[in-house]
Amino acid sequence: MAEELKRTALYDEHVRLSGRMVPFAGWELPVQYDNTGPSVEHQTVRTAAGLFDIDHMGQVEVRGPDALPFLQRTQVSDISDMAVLDARYSLMCYADGGIVDDIFIYRLGEQRWWVVVNASNRAKDVAWMQAHSQGFDLELEDLSDRTYMLALQGPKAQAILQKLTPADLAAMPFHSGLETTVAGVPAVLGATGYTGEYGYELFFPVEQAALIWNTLLDTGKAEGLLPCGLAARDSLRFEPCLPLYGHEIDQVTDPFSARLGWAVSFAKGDFVGRDALLKIKLEGPAKLLVAFEMVDKGVPRPDYPVAVDGMVAGKVTTGMKSPTTGRFVGMAFVPPSHSKLGSSIDIMIRDQPKKAVVVKRPFYVAAYRRK
Amino acid sequence: MAYKFDPNVRYAKTHDWVRVDAERGLAVCGISDFAQHALSDVVYVELPDVGTEVSQGDVYTTVESVKAAEEVFAPVSGEIVAVNAALEDEPEALNSDPYGAWIIKVQPADLSQLDALMDAAAYEAFVAAEEAGGH
């Protein structure tokens, strides 16, 4: 059955800029711009700045007296210490510990929060949150259709955006939010992103999408700003080992298997999934996400089987030639017995076992993690 | 999209080209500008072994781009007598110079196979029709 693909308000802009439009999570989005290509776009974000249309992402507003207790109940982190305008990565889990989605939480007021969710999970997430909101005094509103979302990422992002906003960006801590204007348009700014670089995510009314997009591209031209597609977005999040739903995490994967146990707080009290997650933490997960590098030649790709001792025992979640390092690397789920650094595994590439070795994560240290 | 079409090669419907090296009697094979464009940035070419026999239409190698692994088909039958080892270090040459960056040289079994392939004008029309046909 043919799926009806949605187009973002910037569809015509992408086509005009040589965007190669492909289906992604129910949307038609540029995988790359043919004038540049994924490798150039990737490198530009690492060294200058890139602009991404990420309007497919969803935004859910939670507001009311019980907004905090509701979020404490429905996601795994302790967010009681979040001040107004803080932003934080977290996860929502099912009762069995499987991941509903990974999310970014913004506290925009004492009783007003935004939850930013993945495009592919938006409907499911909203329904799941609704189902768990019984008994809480709050309102849940899906703002996705009227809220546009762009990501401006890279070392030059701050200099570019500062020309368009009265907010003092240098004073904005990493992982915080702000309500301000951009090019005169009211916007929520997050000092956030998913590329391993410093940068911003912008939320504003959908009617202003073309204005903000084109103003940013014009303003950033002198700094080397380029529009970037999904392929670069994927390789940029892969190198610092940031998980992507449907690859490293999904409903049958728990946070501990995916090395996201740091996001789980057992001390904060009860939450959905707590009992199952505590059991997994105590007993140890059945599979573990590792980083690996090819020893034999070959390009590892998502869903390639992983064999240990001649038996298929896992699979690749993401793999590629890392554009920044030139290494042929990937992430894969393997049995805990083969998760140690230096462990030998085989990646099945077109039915041929190719040697690989478990290596240190990440492949690229995110700008905000450097000492 | 404007693609480059080399008048000195013959094209298969699989977007592979073959050029005859008349001096040595060899068939030099590669992928077209349209093919490299569709692939996007090439990161790896799995070169076949010299001495392998291929038949016209057989998969003889896989070219890996940033996003996908694509099979490459032999435009002519024969024995592979050389592979372009330079592609090991510089696979992106397939993007930058698709008609210079050959992949294999074949000792052709029957050069008349080339007669059934397209010349540049016919291939240009074929590509245009394929693009108009949508994705």
Side-chain angles (χ1 to χ4, degrees), chain A residues 95-115:
Chain A
D96 68 1
I99 296 169
V100 179
D101 202 359
D102 65 337
I103 57 178
F104 247 93
I105 301 180
Y106 290 77
R107 185 169 204 171
L108 294 180
E110 276 303 322
Q111 300 187 353
R112 179 172 165 242
W113 305 72
W114 274 17
V115 177

Side-chain angles (χ1 to χ4, degrees), chain A residues 57-116:
Chain A
M57 308 274 297
Q59 301 82 30
V60 183
E61 181 164 297
V62 184
R63 56 178 183 265
D66 286 347
L68 175 59
F70 165 76
L71 288 167
Q72 288 284 70
R73 165 99 191 135
T74 49
Q75 49 81 47
V76 301
S77 302
D78 184 1
I79 57 164
S80 61
D81 62 334
M82 279 177 72
V84 171
L85 299 180
D86 278 354
R88 189 170 294 175
Y89 178 85
S90 187
L91 302 154
M92 302 191 292
C93 285
Y94 294 101
D96 68 1
I99 296 169
V100 179
D101 202 359
D102 65 337
I103 57 178
F104 247 93
I105 301 180
Y106 290 77
R107 185 169 204 171
L108 294 180
E110 276 303 322
Q111 300 187 353
R112 179 172 165 242
W113 305 72
W114 274 17
V115 177
V116 178

Side-chain angles (χ1 to χ4, degrees), chain A residues 20 31-32 34 36-40 230-231 234-235 297-299 301 304 319-321 328 349-350 354, chain B residues 1 36-44 46 62-69 71 88-89 91-92 135:
Chain A
R20 189 180 295 191
V31 65
Q32 65 177 76
D34 283 349
T36 45
S39 305
V40 169
L230 293 168
D234 191 45
S235 54
K297 285 187 175 172
V299 183
R301 296 198 182 271
Y304 282 4
M320 65 182 67
K321 179 182 180 185
F328 291 84
I349 300 182
R350 292 179 280 283
K354 302 283 184 184
Chain B
M1 188 70 206
Q36 71 77 16
H37 178 266
L39 269 167
S40 183
D41 300 346
V42 174
V43 297
Y44 181 64
E46 193 177 76
T62 303
V63 173
E64 305 241 15
S65 74
V66 169
K67 289 306 280 180
E71 295 176 325
E88 286 188 359
D89 292 329
E92 61 274 15
H135 312 284

Side-chain angles (χ1 to χ4, degrees), chain A residues 43-321:
Chain A
Q43 218 45 46
T44 299
V45 174
R46 290 271 180 259
T47 57
L51 186 61
F52 301 82
D53 180 1
I54 53 169
D55 188 49
H56 55 297
M57 308 274 297
Q59 301 82 30
V60 183
E61 181 164 297
V62 184
R63 56 178 183 265
D66 286 347
L68 175 59
F70 165 76
L71 288 167
Q72 288 284 70
R73 165 99 191 135
T74 49
Q75 49 81 47
V76 301
S77 302
D78 184 1
I79 57 164
S80 61
D81 62 334
M82 279 177 72
V84 171
L85 299 180
D86 278 354
R88 189 170 294 175
Y89 178 85
S90 187
L91 302 154
M92 302 191 292
C93 285
Y94 294 101
D96 68 1
I99 296 169
V100 179
D101 202 359
D102 65 337
I103 57 178
F104 247 93
I105 301 180
Y106 290 77
R107 185 169 204 171
L108 294 180
E110 276 303 322
Q111 300 187 353
R112 179 172 165 242
W113 305 72
W114 274 17
V115 177
V116 178
V117 303
N118 279 302
S120 53
N121 292 332
R122 174 182 152 195
K124 175 187 87 173
D125 289 357
V126 172
W128 189 84
M129 290 168 81
Q130 292 282 11
H132 285 85
S133 68
Q134 304 305 317
F136 289 100
D137 183 7
L138 57 81
E139 282 178 276
L140 262 178
E141 190 178 2
D142 184 351
L143 305 178
S144 312
D145 287 341
R146 61 172 200 259
T147 306
Y148 213 85
M149 188 170 178
L150 296 178
L152 176 68
Q153 300 278 298
K156 299 284 178 64
Q158 185 181 315
I160 295 165
L161 190 58
Q162 191 62 76
K163 294 175 184 166
L164 297 172
T165 179
D168 181 3
L169 297 179
M172 215 179 155
F174 185 61
H175 282 185
S176 71
L178 200 60
E179 288 191 85
T180 181
T181 59
V182 174
V185 174
V188 171
L189 267 189
T192 51
Y194 220 57
T195 57
E197 301 302 327
Y198 282 111
Y200 303 89
E201 290 174 312
L202 291 73
F203 308 85
F204 51 86
V206 61
E207 297 76 21
Q208 308 296 336
L211 170 78
I212 301 244
W213 171 265
N214 288 317
T215 304
L216 278 167
L217 285 180
D218 287 347
T219 307
K221 199 165 279 173
E223 311 276 5
L225 177 67
L226 285 179
C228 297
L230 293 168
R233 188 167 164 78
D234 191 45
S235 54
L236 288 160
R237 69 92 197 162
F238 164 74
E239 289 182 330
C241 291
L242 300 174
L244 177 64
Y245 200 91
H247 291 257
E248 285 72 34
I249 53 178
D250 57 30
Q251 57 182 341
V252 295
T253 302
D254 64 85
F256 293 99
S257 299
R259 312 274 187 177
L260 296 168
W262 56 267
V264 182
S265 165
F266 292 111
K268 70 168 176 170
D270 198 21
F271 59 91
V272 182
R274 186 180 191 278
D275 293 350
L277 291 175
L278 191 55
K279 189 164 184 281
I280 293 165
K281 183 183 164 69
L282 293 175
E283 293 178 358
K287 60 180 182 182
L288 273 174
L289 189 67
V290 296
F292 68 85
E293 177 160 13
M294 297 305 298
V295 175
D296 288 343
K297 285 187 175 172
V299 183
R301 296 198 182 271
D303 296 328
Y304 282 4
V306 175
V308 297
D309 305 331
M311 303 273 280
V312 170
K315 71 170 182 178
V316 176
T317 57
T318 306
M320 65 182 67
K321 179 182 180 185

